[in-house]
Amino acid sequence: MMNDPRAEILRQAAQLFAQKGYVESSLSEVARSLNYSKGAIYNYFSSKQEIYDAIIIFTLTGLNDASAAAVKREDTPAEQLKQFMVAHARFLADNYDCFVTMLVGFSGMANTGLKDDALALRDAHEGLLRRIIADGVADGSFRAVGAAMTGRAVLSLLSWMVRWFKPGGDKSAEDVALEYHDLLVRGLVA
Amino acid sequence: MMNDPRAEILRQAAQLFAQKGYVESSLSEVARSLNYSKGAIYNYFSSKQEIYDAIIIFTLTGLNDASAAAVKREDTPAEQLKQFMVAHARFLADNYDCFVTMLVGFSGMANTGLKDDALALRDAHEGLLRRIIADGVADGSFRAVGAAMTGRAVLSLLSWMVRWFKPGGDKSAEDVALEYHDLLVRGLVA
């Protein structure tokens, strides 16, 4: 067994779900790929669904922590927006399989308590972003855009990366985030 | 049987796939919801997979036609970009279940010939958008942004709508597209 079997199981399961889809993956396959017995998995999770739910919570918690930490290091809303985007993109690249898993079935969480937790985490992440945008409008760094619509645009740019970005390619996730940030801040007008 | 049974089958199947997922939907359910016999379905499609593949081609063909027609009516790249975005968003809202189906399993097409067709359609749509952006840079309407990166940003904004936009709500798809267009063109800088 590895140092943190629970984390290992989540990582391996996310890889399998991302490749084959949730429905077509089995707990036995997760166990086999880790050289665990199925019984060893049951020490940590009682079902495939429980693993799925745990992946979603792990991913959203990590995403929140990463963006909050990045934002805390900056003083101005303008710089906070940039670092929020970079941190989100980097976390997505580092946990790519988890984001693929989440994309395919966020609404598929079985544990309603955990589903509420997931929605709260998602709202906290979006809430931090809206706060940054509203602060930037208030201090004159940004023009008077709506925080909800603009936050949604930022998260759309970052979230769609799971559909085309491949970690380890020519361009890093941070590069993509910085390009999007520049486009968003400066706009298209000549 | 309805006027265009083939289109009806696709529409009904897309609704089912969007609600239950592809793997968990059956051809029998599609037939039942249309009051068709399973045999009647087989007059048009030989398998669930064939219906899935046809939904993807139908959706991408319609998206291409809609954006190309909207762009053709405009003379300037600046106005073409706006109408491209509005047409894409409107087509997504009008064919919401098809886009949900496509989101979940674009890579899941079985017929490799049709998969090549799908990729060609996707590239044509993105190619038109890149052409508009490059033209706008060339005629001085837009600053010197990269057409590939900017096109990707535009398509990310529009594509992610399938994850949050609900047709028939307070805000129309066209409204969303116009807000995104304004944000993208004018940027955030005050």
Side-chain angles (χ1 to χ4, degrees):
Chain A
M1 283 258 168
M2 296 160 202
N3 280 336
D4 185 351
R6 215 171 171 278
E8 280 303 322
I9 293 166
L10 293 188
R11 184 172 303 274
Q12 197 60 41
Q15 195 181 323
L16 199 66
F17 296 163
Q19 277 166 8
K20 299 184 59 176
Y22 173 78
V23 175
E24 280 161 333
S25 302
S26 75
L27 212 67
S28 309
E29 285 173 283
V30 177
R32 202 158 47 236
S33 60
L34 285 163
N35 281 320
Y36 287 10
S37 67
K38 214 170 157 186
I41 302 266
Y42 282 125
N43 288 330
Y44 300 95
F45 298 100
S46 64
S47 65
K48 183 174 77 163
Q49 177 74 52
E50 203 177 300
I51 295 178
Y52 178 87
D53 288 7
I55 290 170
I56 306 299
I57 297 295
F58 163 83
T59 309
L60 290 172
T61 303
L63 185 63
N64 259 291
D65 292 350
S67 57
V71 165
K72 205 180 260 183
R73 281 192 291 272
E74 304 297 334
D75 293 324
T76 65
E79 198 56 34
Q80 286 178 344
L81 175 64
K82 187 195 273 189
Q83 296 310 326
F84 179 100
M85 291 178 73
V86 168
H88 181 125
R90 184 185 294 135
F91 189 80
L92 178 144
D94 289 346
N95 299 276
Y96 194 71
D97 291 330
C98 291
F99 279 81
V100 174
T101 299
M102 192 157 66
L103 178 68
V104 174
F106 179 69
S107 59
M109 291 181 80
N111 183 317
T112 49
L114 284 181
K115 192 167 176 182
D116 287 345
D117 290 349
L119 292 172
L121 286 163
R122 193 197 60 184
D123 288 350
H125 187 61
E126 190 160 8
L128 172 59
L129 177 56
R130 289 183 184 183
R131 198 271 295 152
I132 294 168
I133 294 163
D135 284 355
V137 171
D139 82 357
S141 319
F142 305 143
R143 64 186 175 89
V145 292
M149 182 277 289
T150 307
R152 182 149 265 165
V154 170
L155 292 179
S156 299
L157 292 173
L158 296 168
S159 301
W160 194 251
M161 287 178 70
V162 74
R163 290 288 285 182
W164 66 269
F165 180 78
K166 291 287 170 271
D170 282 351
K171 206 177 263 189
S172 74
E174 290 89 332
D175 291 341
V176 174
L178 290 171
E179 285 184 356
Y180 281 165
H181 174 264
D182 183 67
L183 177 64
L184 196 74
V185 169
R186 296 170 64 201
L188 275 178
V189 276
Chain B
M1 282 259 169
M2 297 159 201
N3 282 336
D4 185 352
R6 213 172 172 279
E8 278 303 320
I9 292 166
L10 293 188
R11 184 173 302 274
Q12 196 61 40
Q15 195 180 325
L16 198 65
F17 296 163
Q19 275 166 8
K20 299 185 60 176
Y22 174 76
V23 175
E24 281 161 334
S25 301
S26 74
L27 210 67
S28 309
E29 285 174 282
V30 177
R32 201 160 47 235
S33 61
L34 286 162
N35 280 321
Y36 288 10
S37 67
K38 216 170 155 183
I41 301 267
Y42 282 124
N43 289 331
Y44 301 95
F45 299 99
S46 65
S47 66
K48 184 174 76 163
Q49 178 74 52
E50 203 177 298
I51 295 178
Y52 178 86
D53 289 6
I55 290 171
I56 307 298
I57 297 295
F58 163 82
T59 310
L60 289 172
T61 303
L63 185 63
N64 259 292
D65 293 350
S67 57
V71 165
K72 204 180 262 181
R73 283 190 291 270
E74 303 298 334
D75 293 323
T76 66
E79 198 57 34
Q80 286 177 343
L81 175 63
K82 187 194 273 189
Q83 295 311 325
F84 178 100
M85 292 178 73
V86 168
H88 182 125
R90 185 185 294 135
F91 188 79
L92 179 143
D94 288 346
N95 298 275
Y96 195 71
D97 291 331
C98 292
F99 279 81
V100 174
T101 299
M102 192 158 65
L103 178 69
V104 174
F106 179 67
S107 60
M109 291 181 79
N111 183 316
T112 50
L114 285 182
K115 193 170 175 178
D116 287 346
D117 291 349
L119 291 172
L121 286 163
R122 193 198 59 183
D123 289 349
H125 187 60
E126 189 160 7
L128 172 60
L129 178 57
R130 289 183 184 183
R131 197 271 295 152
I132 294 169
I133 295 163
D135 284 356
V137 171
D139 83 356
S141 318
F142 305 142
R143 64 185 176 88
V145 293
M149 183 276 291
T150 307
R152 183 150 262 164
V154 170
L155 292 180
S156 299
L157 292 173
L158 296 168
S159 301
W160 195 251
M161 285 177 71
V162 72
R163 290 287 285 180
W164 66 269
F165 180 78
K166 292 285 168 275
D170 282 351
K171 206 177 264 189
S172 74
E174 290 90 332
D175 290 341
V176 174
L178 290 171
E179 284 184 356
Y180 280 164
H181 174 265
D182 183 68
L183 177 64
L184 196 75
V185 168
R186 296 171 63 201
L188 275 176
V189 275

